[in-house]
Structures are given as structure tokens and as C-alpha cells.
């Protein structure tokens, strides 16, 4: 019944508009802007989580590290070796895609028939190994990275300046959400990937190579994570081992669950909602006595969604 | 989801055009997935927060009572002094510098201390000029800077129990503590010589090599032994050389207690030292007190450290730096709108009260007070920068980790907001902060126990020579911090005499002697004064050179 889905979207949109209006009316309009621009980063990571879950039913805890590897590669190639930014970014994307492919080949594929929880733990293991490698090769120190786009004052909303780098993150998130949504709904390859996730044997019998599709999906996820890392690290200004895992994975999971876990536009919406909720918690006087209000808000949001609407705002069963 | 709604969901899904492949997913399976996600996230969070959850247990690792200490095998401490020198003797280790030690300004309450000229001191091991000229009370300290003696120089004898910060105009005299907590004292017990042999003294240092600032990993390692190697060439401390055990506390109090426990129980160090980090120092100091181990650190908060038998601050606490800081804002910067931003830890409650009270007394308008998480998110720091901007604060008093400072300043710059950042502390004045934070941090100003490299050759020419000699390169400011701290400890070990024991060491510290290094401020303690530094250096970021320079040496007011 498409009506249900559209009604959910409608209700979600109405709620979002009402919340936004309330924030503006109550003097929290700056928190709204800050939430949207910081939430875009979460949405970008959430896109990769949704893509993997949508195609293989795996909760990929290594997603953050695919992105962190890309940031380290970018830093090494661009900042240390002096390679121009764009080629360096391509190298970074190649590194994250390679790591994702290696994860698929060495960890996911041998365990694919195991319960999903086993795969979840396996990807968490990949994440820990990656963090150890980063500590070993990159030292346990914080490094600083400059944004590709340095202009700070092109756009100002409600008195909050939105830098070009943040606009880039927002634009990339929006564009990728739409493109991937179209990819999965309009192309044979996208539908084939969904088919593999639902019925691998039947899809194989249809002449579709499950292995190739799986590799393609994981590589694509690696590229998405790489983009997320390389675009958001300069916004934050610094990175360290485990950067994307520690700063964005939990909010991104919340965003993905909020958006419906299988909905790519939902990841975008979820990211923004999580960002706004976090920003509101940080800036609203009502929360000032709560330690770490941003993190608390993320978990409150997660619990509410799982309890009230486990399929998320825009979720459909795959 | 009920069975009926599951059916509805399934039928809905099967009717989506182009989605015929999806019909095998049912509502319950989605719910299972959601549950799995929730469990997974909870597990990850539990793992991530495990360390933080232990923070509150620090005191459990550090039994407060004597009974608890003895139950854990704690060594007795703080027994009767067996100080080698007469009370009031000045001990200096100025490394042979002929430069006169700067005055500490007005003396602390009752301390009567005037730092000795460098080279006139009694330490036979710390440099040619310093050798053998015992001053014999030339710089007498009464050792009686108790709470009752406070007030002669403007509140320098503040009793920590007041929790209101030092009075305006306090000039940095020793801060009196109330009667020490019932610790593991065992006067008359056997001398505790743990970590001391005929040829060696083993000391332990913990510092936040990771977690707080973008420190180069090997900077601490390279600097930690330089002073001791220099000293060894002069004969050591009564023939003993010092061996340093160094541990990274990861800017985490739980980890700090763990590494301090390792250093005490496994490495058998004689004395523990904390380089930086309020929570870590507080946690380790409490543990050390429970074990009867002398513990020295750069001055941080006073909450949680007051009354510990074995604790001594080698530089001014945050609260002791506030009079100079506030007077600089009012008299030098001539700014009036002040915002106060601190790390969100209870250890800084008293510090916040102190600066607030002094700022109000000085007529400053506090336009915002806030706390930021120790590992604040991008969203939190952007919100904070924006709130600071809208508050109109001209000066931001900052007491956070360097990472948070740099990120906050960067977010402030992105909002076209560039106040003067200023604060007490230790690590925010390191060159690595200017290197990473410029131009966003602007002409940030921070007090510091040690000067910067621009003046060290005048104050103590031995540092660069020794660093060059033992490490083969120019010394950095992290090495300088370690050099200064080592020099303070060296002078204290010297004062404890040849027959070194923990009881004797604590007795020497409590004797009221002035310990002068020409790097760290002059410091003296008594039985009730554990925060005994009298001045600090003021550093300013120079974004042209991406480094800090020293704009005031051994100062206590403007």
C-alpha cells in the first residue's frame, strides 16, 4: 500500500517542519542551522551503512574505518607527499575501496552463511584491526587537516556562517542520496543487488554473479565511506586513529535506523534529524545540566525510534 | 508490530512496483534486525564507554583511610622529617646560570621567601656555580605559612575549604591547606626506601601523550632523561643517578590510576609525578596518597588534592594564577566582556568559582559561562563558538584540552569570531598548539610553569646545550617542561639528603625551603601548604612564527 509509505513521509515531513518552526520561534534557529550542517556528515556515513544493509543485510561496523583509512591516505599523499588535492582524493578513495573489498573477500564472504550477528561482530573486528594499524603506522597522535574549500562566509543563515566545506558535505550527501536511490529503484544493477540480498540462490540461477555484485557493493560502500571521511575531516579540523568510528559511527547508525535502515533518502533525513537533535541538546538551556547532552540525545532518539517505529521514518522492509 | 500489521506491511511491500524481490522480508524480521542493531550499538557504546565508566571508581583504587591503605599494603609516609638542611635553607639548582633568579614578587603569606640568586645555593650536583655554597638561611622561609598566617599579602593563604578562590590581589603565596587527611602516616615507622639504591633513584612520570593534544609521540621520550643525564655528569644526587619510568595516561583518569599503580607496584618508583591533566593528576595523587608515595605535579585544580599528605604542586594552581590573569585582562588588555569556558569535569568547579569571583571583583562583565565535553563533538564546539560570538565576549577564559581549544578557535574563526583566548594551564601554551591552531587562535595567551624557548637561554643556558648534547638537536618546549620539572625534583631530592627515604623526602619538602630552578617558579611548602608556587610565566601565541613567546617571566600580577 503506497499510501502508507507516502503517509509516513508526509507525517515525517510535517513533524520536521513543525519542529523547525518551533526551534525558530523559540530562539533556537542557530541550533537548527548547526544541526543541519553537522548532521550532513552523519548522513554521509549513514548512506554507506544503509547500502550494505540493503544489499546484504549486514550491519557494517567497519564503515567508519573505511573512511578513516581514506583520510590517512589523503593526509599522507596530499599533506606529506605534496600531491595535488584531487589526485590525492582519488588515491584516498582507492584505498578505502580496497579496504572494503579486502573486508568482503577475507571476512564477509567466508562467513556469509553464518548468522548476521556473526558478521556484525566480524566487521567490528575489522574495525579494531584497522584502528590498531592506524595507531601503529600513524602514531597515536592527533593530526590537523585543512579544508579543500577555504572560504568561510559565502552563506550565512540566521547569523550562522556556513563554510564552503560544509556546503560541500551537504551537497554531496543530497546528491548521493538521490543518485543511489535512483540506482536501486531504476537500474537493473541496483535491482540485481537487492535480489542478491533477498534470494542469492535464485539470483544466481538467473545468471547474475552474486560474487561480483557483492564485491561491487562493498567497493561502492568503501568509496562512500572514503568520501564521508575526506569531506568531514577538514570540517572537524583534525583526525586521529579511529576518527570516523569514534566521531560519527553511532550517530550515523542512529540516522540509518531513524531513516529506515533500507532507505537511502532516509539516511539523509536521519542524519539531519540526528544533527538537529544533537545541536538542540547542546544549545538549549533545558539540557545545560546534563553532561554530554549531545550524545545523550542521540541515544534517546535511538531508543524512541526502536520502540515506537522500528522501521524508521522512511523505512520499508527492504 | 502485531501479526495483523505485519501482514499489512508485507502486502504493502509486495505491491510496490518494481520491488517484487522484496516480499520475503517480513515485519518481524525487520524488527529482529532493529533489535540486533540496538544490541550491537549498545555493545559498542558499552565498550567505548567502559573506560569512562570507571572514572568514578578512581577513589576505589585509592583508599582514603589509613586502614584501607594498610590493607592494600600501602607504605607509610610523611613521617618525621629527616631533612638534611636547616629550616629555611634555600635550595637552588640553577644549573650554573649566572643570571639572577627573578623575584617572585610579593612573597607568600608567611613564607618570607625571596628566591636565591642562581648559583648561590647548596646543591653540589647541579652545576659548577651552584656547588657547595650553602646559603645557611639567607633566604629564610618560616615554613609557617599556615592558614592562620594568611592575609599579609592579600589572601595568599586561602583555605581551600572556602571554595571561593583566592582573593583579588593575592600574590601567589603558598596556599594553606587544612589539616591533612588521615592518610597512611606512620611516624616512627621504618624508613621507606622503595626505588632507591646506592646508585639509582627510580621516579615515575605520567602524562597525556595521547588524547589531549597533537603531541609528537617521541617528544616526551626524548626529553625525559636530559636533565638527569646532565646531572649525572655532575655527580648525580649524592652519587645516585635518576632513572625515569614514563607512562602515557591517555588523558583518562582510569588509565592514569592504572599506570600509576603499575609504576608503584611493579616498577617500584620512589616518587610519582604528573605532567598535566587535572583529572588524571587528581586521580593519581589520591592513589599515591593511599599508598604513601610522594606525588608531585604541575599545579592544576585544588579540589580533590587539598589535604593529601603526599601531594605537592610544583607550580601555581589554576586558582593561584587567576589574580594575575584577571589583572592582565583588566589592566593590560583593558577588556571588559569575559566568557568562561571549561572542560566539563567536577574537578574544575572550584576553579570556575575562583575565576568568576575574581573577575566580578575586578569589574569584568561575565557574559557567558559554559562547560564543554572532554571529547566534545563538532556540533558541540560549533554551537559553543556561535554562542560565544553572540555573547559578545572579547576575552575567552579557556581551560580545556588543546584539542578542544584548537577546534573551538577554528569554529570561532569560521564564524568570523576572534576573541582573545586566555587561560591558566600547562599544555595550551605549547608550541605544538600554535603550530596546529594558528591562525585561528590569534594572539592567545596562557600562563605556564615554564617559559618558552625564546628566553630559556637567558634563564638557563644549560637546557639547550644539554639537549643538543644528549639528543643531537635543538630542544623543544616539551623537553623544556620536562627539564624544568626534573630540575625541581632534583633540588628536592638533593634537599632530602644522602640517606634518602620517602619520609625524609616529604620532610624536606615540608620544611619550608625554597626550591629555585630559574625555569619553574620558586616553590616552598610546609606541613599545611602544598600549593606553594609563587609565580608563573605568561606566554603569547605568535602566529607569524606559529610558536609561543614569553611576554612575562615569573609574574604574579599586572
Amino acid at each position: 500500500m503506497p499510501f502508507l509509505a507516502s503517509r509516513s513521509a508526509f507525517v515525517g515531513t510535517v513533524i520536521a517542519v513543525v519542529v523547525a518552526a518551533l526551534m525558530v520561534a523559540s530562539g533556537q534557529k542557530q541550533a537548527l542551522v548547526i544541526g543541519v550542517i553537522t548532521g550532513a556528515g552523519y548522513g554521509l556515513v549513514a548512506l554507506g551503512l544503509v547500502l550494505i544493509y540493503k544489499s546484504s543485510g549486514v550491519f557494517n561496523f567497519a564503515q567508519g574505518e573505511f573512511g578513516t583509512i581514506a583520510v590517512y591516505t589523503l593526509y599522507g599523499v596530499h599533506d606529506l607527499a605534496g600531491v595535488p588535492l584531487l589526485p590525492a582524493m582519488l588515491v584516498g578513495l582507492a584505498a578505502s575501496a580496497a579496504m572494503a573489498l579486502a573486508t568482503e573477500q577475507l571476512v564477509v564472504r567466508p562467513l556469509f552463511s553464518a548468522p548476521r550477528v556473526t558478521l556484525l561482530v566480524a566487521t567490528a573486528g575489522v574495525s579494531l584491526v584497522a584502528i590498531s594499524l592506524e595507531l601503529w603506522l600513524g602514531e597515536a597522535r592527533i593530526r590537523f587537516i585543512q579544508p579543500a574549500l577555504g572560504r568561510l562566509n559565502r552563506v550565512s543563515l540566521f547569523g550562522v556562517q556556513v563554510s564552503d566545506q560544509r556546503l560541500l558535505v551537504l551537497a554531496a550527501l543530497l546528491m548521493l542520496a538521490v543518485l543511489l536511490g535512483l540506482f536501486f529503484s531504476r537500474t537493473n544493477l541496483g535491482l540485481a543487488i537487492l535480489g542478491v540480498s533477498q534470494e542469492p540462490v535464485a539470483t544466481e540461477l538467473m545468471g547474475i554473479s552474486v560474487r561480483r555484485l557483492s564485491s561491487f557493493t562493498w567497493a561502492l560502500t568503501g568509496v562512500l565511506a572514503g568520501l564521508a571521511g575526506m569531506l568531514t575531516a577538514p570540517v572537524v579540523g583534525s583526525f586521529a586513529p579511529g576518527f570516523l568510528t569514534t566521531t560519527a559511527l553511532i550517530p550515523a547508525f542512529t540516522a540509518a535506523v531513524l531513516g529506515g535502515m533500507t532507505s537511502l533518502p532516509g539516511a539523509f533525513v536521519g542524519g539531519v534529524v540526528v544533527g538537529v537533535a544533537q545541536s538542540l541538546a547542546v544549545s538549549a538551556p533545558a539540557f545545560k545540566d546534563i553532561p554530554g547532552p549531545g550524545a545523550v540525545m542521540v541515544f534517546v532518539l535511538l531508543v524512541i525510534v526502536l520502540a515506537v517505529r522500528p522501521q524508521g521514518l522512511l523505512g520499508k522492509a527492504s | 508490530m502485531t501479526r495483523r500489521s505485519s501482514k499489512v506491511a508485507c502486502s504493502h511491500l509486495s505491491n510496490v512496483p518494481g520491488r517484487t524481490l522484496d516480499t520475503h522480508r517480513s515485519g518481524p524480521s525487520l524488527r529482529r534486525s532493529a533489535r540486533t542493531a540496538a544490541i550491537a550499538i549498545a555493545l559498542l557504546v558499552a565498550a567505548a564507554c567502559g573506560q569512562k565508566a570507571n572514572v568514578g571508581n578512581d577513589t576505589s583504587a585509592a583508599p582514603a583511610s589509613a586502614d584501607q591503605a594498610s590493607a592494600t599494603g600501602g607504605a607509610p609516609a610523611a613521617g618525621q622529617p629527616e631533612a638534611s638542611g636547616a629550616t629555611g635553607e634555600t635550595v637552588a639548582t640553577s644549573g650554573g646560570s649566572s643570571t639572577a633568579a627573578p623575584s617572585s614578587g610579593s612573597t607568600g603569606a608567611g613564607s618570607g621567601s625571596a628566591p636565591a640568586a642562581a648559583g648561590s645555593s647548596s646543591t653540589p650536583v647541579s652545576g659548577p656555580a651552584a656547588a657547595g655554597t650553602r646559603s645557611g638561611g639567607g633566604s629564610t622561609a618560616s615554613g609557617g605559612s599556615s592558614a592562620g598566617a594568611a592575609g599579609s599579602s592579600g589572601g595568599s593563604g586561602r583555605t581551600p575549604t572556602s571554595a571561593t578562590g583566592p582573593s583579588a590581589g593575592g600574590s601567589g603565596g603558598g596556599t594553606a591547606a587544612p589539616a591533612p587527611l588521615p592518610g597512611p602516616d606512620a611516624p616512627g615507622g621504618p624508613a621507606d626506601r622503595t626505588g632507591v639504591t646506592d646508585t639509582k633513584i627510580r621516579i615515575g612520570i605520567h602524562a597525556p601523550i595521547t588524547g589531549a593534544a597533537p603531541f609528537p609521540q617521541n617528544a616526551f621520550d626524548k626529553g625525559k632523561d636530559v636533565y638527569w643525564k646532565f646531572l649525572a655528569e655532575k655527580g648525580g644526587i649524592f652519587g645516585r643517578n635518576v632513572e625515569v619510568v614514563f607512562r602515557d595516561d591517555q588523558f583518562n583518569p582510569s588509565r592514569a590510576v592504572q599506570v600509576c599503580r603499575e609504576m608503584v607496584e611493579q616498577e617500584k618508583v620512589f616518587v610519582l609525578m604528573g605532567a598535566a591533566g587535572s583529572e588524571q593528576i587528581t586521580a593519581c595523587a589520591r592513589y599515591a596518597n593511599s599508598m604513601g608515595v610522594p606525588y608531585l605535579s604541575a599545579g592544576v585544580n585544588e579540589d580533590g588534592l587539598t589535604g593529601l599528605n603526599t601531594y605537592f604542586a610544583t607550580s601555581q594552581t589554576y586558582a593561584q594564577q587567576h589574580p594575575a590573569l584577571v589583572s592582565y585582562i583588566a589592566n593590560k588588555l583593558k577588556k571588559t566582556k569575559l566568557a568562561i569556558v571549561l572542560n566539563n569535569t567536577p574537578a574544575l568547579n572550584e576553579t570556575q568559582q575562583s575565576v568568576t569571583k575574581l573577575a566580578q571583583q575586578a569589574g569584568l562583565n561575565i557574559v557567558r559561562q559554559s562547560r564543554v565535553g572532554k571529547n566534545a563533538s563538532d556540533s558541540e564546539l560549533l554551537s559553543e563558538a556561535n554562542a560565544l560570538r553572540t555573547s559578545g565576549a572579547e576575552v575567552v577564559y579557556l581551560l580545556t584540552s588543546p584539542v578542544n581549544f584548537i577546534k573551538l578557535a577554528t569554529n570561532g574563526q569560521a564564524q568570523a569570531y576572534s576573541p582573545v583566548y586566555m587561560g591558566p594551564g600547562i599544555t595550551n601554551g605549547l608550541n605544538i598548539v600554535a603550530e596546529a591552531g594558528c591562525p585561528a587562535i590569534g594572539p592567545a595567551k596562557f600562563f605556564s610553569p615554564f617559559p618558552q624557548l625564546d628566553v630559556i637561554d637567558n634563564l638557563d643556558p644549560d637546557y639547550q646545550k644539554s639537549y643538543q648534547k644528549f639528543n643531537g638537536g635543538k630542544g623543544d618546549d616539551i623537553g623544556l617542561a620536562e627539564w624544568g620539572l626534573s630540575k625541581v625534583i632534583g633540588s628536592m631530592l638533593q634537599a632530602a639528603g644522602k640517606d634518602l627515604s620517602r619520609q625524609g623526602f616529604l620532610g624536606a619538602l615540608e620544611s619550608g625551603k625554597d626550591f629555585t630552578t630559574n625555569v619553574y617558579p620558586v616553590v616552598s611548602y610546609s606541613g599545611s601548604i602544598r600549593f606553594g608556587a609563587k609565580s608563573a610565566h605568561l606566554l603569547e601565541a605568535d602566529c607569524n612564527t606559529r610558536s609561543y613567546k614569553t611576554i612575562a617571566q615569573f609574574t604574579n600580577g599586572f
Side-chain angles (χ1 to χ4, degrees):
Chain A
M1 294 203 301
F3 168 70
L4 276 180
S6 59
R7 193 179 68 174
S8 300
F10 177 73
V11 170
T13 307
V14 169
I15 290 172
V17 169
V18 169
V19 168
L22 282 175
M23 287 180 74
V24 171
S26 62
Q28 293 295 330
K29 52 193 177 186
Q30 293 179 339
L32 180 65
V33 178
I34 289 170
V36 171
I37 58 181
T38 54
Y42 302 146
L44 211 46
V45 180
L47 272 183
L49 295 172
V50 168
L51 179 62
I52 284 293
Y53 182 77
K54 198 176 170 76
S55 62
S56 60
V58 174
F59 287 101
N60 179 23
F61 269 71
Q63 184 75 9
E65 285 319 295
F66 296 167
T68 308
I69 289 290
V71 179
Y72 268 97
T73 308
L74 175 68
Y75 181 79
V77 174
H78 176 59
D79 290 58
L80 300 183
V83 174
L85 184 64
L86 281 179
M89 284 186 77
L90 289 176
V91 177
L93 290 179
S96 58
M99 183 183 171
L101 268 177
T103 303
E104 192 266 341
Q105 297 279 330
L106 302 175
V107 178
V108 175
R109 191 170 291 183
L111 293 172
F112 201 77
S113 54
R116 297 295 93 168
V117 170
T118 306
L119 273 166
L120 182 152
V121 174
T123 58
V126 170
S127 179
L128 292 175
V129 168
I131 291 172
S132 302
L133 277 174
E134 288 154 15
L135 283 166
W136 181 37
L137 298 174
E139 294 187 1
R141 61 179 290 198
I142 298 157
R143 294 173 192 280
F144 292 85
I145 189 165
Q146 294 298 317
L149 305 177
R151 185 166 169 182
L152 303 171
N153 59 354
R154 191 187 304 275
V155 177
S156 179
L157 289 171
F158 297 128
V160 178
Q161 289 191 6
V162 185
S163 67
D164 282 6
Q165 186 74 23
R166 289 192 187 273
L167 285 174
L168 181 63
V169 174
L170 205 54
L173 171 65
L174 201 57
M175 193 178 69
L176 286 169
V178 171
L179 285 178
L180 288 170
L182 290 173
F183 172 74
F184 277 104
S185 62
R186 297 282 187 269
T187 67
N188 288 336
L189 186 57
L191 288 172
I193 290 171
L194 289 179
V196 170
S197 75
Q198 300 295 314
E199 283 292 348
V201 177
T203 312
E204 189 92 54
L205 289 173
M206 297 292 286
I208 297 169
S209 169
V210 172
R211 291 185 171 218
R212 281 189 186 172
L213 282 182
S214 176
S215 299
F216 172 79
T217 311
W218 278 84
L220 186 57
T221 298
V223 169
L224 283 176
L227 273 176
M230 290 190 293
L231 292 179
T232 57
V235 168
V236 176
S238 64
F239 66 97
F243 157 67
L244 216 51
T245 300
T246 53
T247 59
L249 191 62
I250 299 292
F253 256 114
T254 308
V257 171
L258 190 63
M261 217 49 225
T262 54
S263 167
L264 290 159
F268 167 77
V269 174
V272 169
V273 170
V274 168
V276 170
Q278 213 178 27
S279 169
L280 185 64
V282 167
S283 59
F287 299 101
K288 74 180 173 59
D289 292 329
I290 300 174
V296 172
M297 182 58 94
V298 169
F299 285 108
V300 168
L301 204 59
L302 182 61
V303 169
I304 290 173
V305 171
L306 289 176
V308 176
R309 193 175 166 82
Q311 71 270 41
L313 289 178
L314 303 181
K316 297 178 286 189
S318 200
Chain B
M1 192 182 289
T2 62
R3 183 174 294 181
R4 184 176 168 279
S5 60
S6 300
K7 283 181 181 173
V8 170
C10 287
S11 60
H12 151 61
L13 288 165
S14 63
N15 288 333
V16 175
R19 290 300 186 94
T20 51
L21 292 163
D22 299 341
T23 53
H24 293 275
R25 279 285 165 100
S26 63
S29 80
L30 186 64
R31 221 169 176 190
R32 276 196 298 277
S33 303
R35 241 180 254 133
T36 311
I39 292 167
I41 290 169
L43 284 172
L44 192 73
V45 171
C49 298
Q51 296 277 356
K52 286 189 176 178
N54 287 332
V55 170
N57 297 334
D58 286 337
T59 50
S60 69
S65 72
D67 291 344
Q68 284 171 307
S70 61
T72 55
Q80 293 302 309
E82 47 174 303
S84 59
T87 300
E89 170 186 55
T90 296
V91 179
T93 56
S94 55
S97 166
S98 59
T99 310
S103 165
S104 65
S106 54
T107 56
S111 68
S113 57
S120 66
S121 67
S122 62
T123 53
V125 293
S126 57
T133 54
R134 191 174 288 273
S135 61
S139 178
T140 306
S142 71
S145 316
S146 64
S152 63
S153 61
S156 55
R158 181 174 65 86
T159 51
T161 47
S162 69
T164 56
S167 305
S171 56
T175 301
L181 292 175
D185 302 65
D192 182 355
R193 293 190 173 81
T194 304
V196 181
T197 67
D198 288 343
T199 57
K200 198 166 61 181
I201 304 168
R202 180 175 282 191
I203 64 175
I205 304 178
H206 67 96
I209 302 174
T210 56
F215 296 132
Q217 207 164 19
N218 62 354
F220 284 96
D221 264 350
K222 287 173 78 174
K224 70 183 171 64
D225 293 320
V226 174
Y227 179 72
W228 304 117
K229 287 177 181 171
F230 163 79
L231 201 57
E233 289 191 343
K234 312 282 179 194
I237 297 170
F238 297 106
R240 296 183 179 106
N241 292 330
V242 173
E243 180 184 295
V244 179
V245 180
F246 199 94
R247 292 281 188 276
D248 177 14
D249 62 34
Q250 298 171 5
F251 202 48
N252 178 326
S254 272
R255 176 68 183 159
V257 171
Q258 190 184 337
V259 298
C260 285
R261 188 188 292 276
E262 282 172 18
M263 289 191 285
V264 168
E265 296 176 11
Q266 293 168 24
E267 302 286 349
K268 305 286 183 194
V269 298
F270 174 73
V271 58
L272 278 174
M273 275 168 284
S278 313
E279 287 183 298
Q280 294 68 248
I281 285 173
T282 306
C284 259
R286 295 184 72 83
Y287 164 73
N289 187 63
S290 75
M291 302 299 286
V293 177
Y295 184 94
L296 297 105
S297 79
V300 285
N301 47 285
E302 295 177 16
D303 271 353
L305 297 171
T306 300
L308 298 182
N309 274 323
T310 62
Y311 176 78
F312 300 86
T314 56
S315 61
Q316 284 189 314
T317 63
Y318 300 142
Q320 287 175 322
Q321 295 168 47
H322 287 159
L325 185 146
V326 168
S327 68
Y328 190 87
I329 295 169
N331 302 329
K332 292 284 185 183
L333 294 177
K334 300 192 186 301
K335 305 281 187 189
T336 55
K337 290 183 178 174
L338 175 70
I340 298 170
V341 181
L342 302 98
N343 261 358
N344 194 2
T345 163
L348 297 180
N349 288 347
E350 191 196 11
T351 303
Q352 184 174 5
Q353 290 167 358
S354 159
V355 70
T356 302
K357 185 178 178 184
L358 282 173
Q360 286 169 343
Q361 286 174 351
L364 301 181
N365 178 17
I366 300 176
V367 293
R368 180 174 171 79
Q369 294 206 48
S370 57
R371 299 284 187 118
V372 294
K374 200 168 169 180
N375 300 305
S377 65
D378 178 39
S379 170
E380 188 174 355
L381 291 170
L382 178 56
S383 296
E384 184 57 39
N386 197 53
L388 288 170
R389 181 178 61 85
T390 51
S391 75
E394 299 165 304
V395 179
V396 176
Y397 169 97
L398 202 83
L399 189 48
T400 68
S401 67
V403 170
N404 273 355
F405 167 43
I406 293 167
K407 288 181 180 177
L408 182 68
T410 305
N411 275 309
Q413 188 193 32
Q415 298 303 308
Y417 177 61
S418 301
V420 177
Y421 294 100
M422 191 167 183
I426 306 155
T427 46
N428 276 328
L430 289 170
N431 281 337
I432 193 77
V433 175
E435 201 176 301
C438 277
I441 65 170
K445 295 165 183 62
F446 289 95
F447 285 86
S448 169
F450 49 89
Q452 258 301 342
L453 299 173
D454 57 337
V455 297
I456 192 59
D457 283 344
N458 291 331
L459 291 175
D460 186 351
D462 289 326
Y463 170 64
Q464 286 294 4
K465 287 179 196 164
S466 302
Y467 199 97
Q468 175 74 35
K469 181 174 182 180
F470 298 116
N471 283 332
K474 190 168 184 259
D476 59 10
D477 53 352
I478 293 174
L480 175 56
E482 292 177 307
W483 171 274
L485 185 61
S486 301
K487 213 170 169 184
V488 176
I489 308 298
S491 66
M492 292 170 173
L493 290 169
Q494 189 70 35
K498 188 174 183 181
D499 186 20
L500 185 61
S501 68
R502 281 176 175 164
Q503 291 93 331
F505 182 74
L506 292 171
L509 293 185
E510 290 174 354
S511 68
K513 292 180 178 71
D514 277 357
F515 298 100
T516 305
T517 61
N518 229 20
V519 180
Y520 267 51
V522 177
V523 65
S524 64
Y525 313 98
S526 73
S528 57
I529 295 180
R530 303 309 169 101
F531 309 115
K534 297 169 175 60
S535 60
H537 304 273
L538 181 57
L539 313 177
E540 182 182 71
D542 177 3
C543 279
N544 292 323
T545 58
R546 287 183 173 261
S547 63
Y548 276 92
K549 60 187 180 189
T550 314
I551 58 173
Q553 299 169 33
F554 300 106
T555 184
N556 52 26
F558 296 91

